[in-house]
Amino acid sequence: MELKDIIATLSNSVCIGHIDETIKIAEQMLGDFCEIKRIYGNSLTAFIKGDSDYTIAVEAHTDEIGFIV
């Protein structure tokens, strides 16, 4: 899946009040190449083991803030 397809899939998921759907999608996508652990309810950590002594962290939000005026 190309990056634009991944972004479109995550962006089109229903997340206001239904963050579980977006978390499941992210978990499935990351699970193809990472070890996934679900922590703190709706938080995920993804691990990619390598040969380096360095550690890199990538963070992202899978929720959306919405309001009506």
Side-chain angles (χ1 to χ4, degrees):
M1 184 178 276
E2 290 188 31
L3 181 57
K4 67 179 181 176
D5 298 326
I6 292 170
I7 292 171
T9 300
L10 289 172
S11 295
N12 291 329
S13 67
V14 178
C15 56
I16 298 175
H18 304 282
I19 194 157
D20 234 20
E21 178 186 340
T22 306
I23 292 292
K24 287 177 187 175
I25 292 170
E27 192 171 18
Q28 289 172 350
M29 289 180 170
L30 290 170
D32 290 342
F33 57 92
C34 299
E35 176 189 338
I36 303 292
K37 291 184 182 179
R38 198 167 194 168
I39 57 170
Y40 307 121
N42 285 324
S43 294
L44 297 177
T45 58
F47 300 93
I48 301 174
K49 299 190 190 286
D51 297 329
S52 176
D53 292 335
Y54 297 102
T55 301
I56 298 173
V58 177
E59 296 184 27
H61 285 278
T62 57
D63 59 350
E64 189 173 312
I65 299 171
F67 63 94
I68 299 172
V69 177

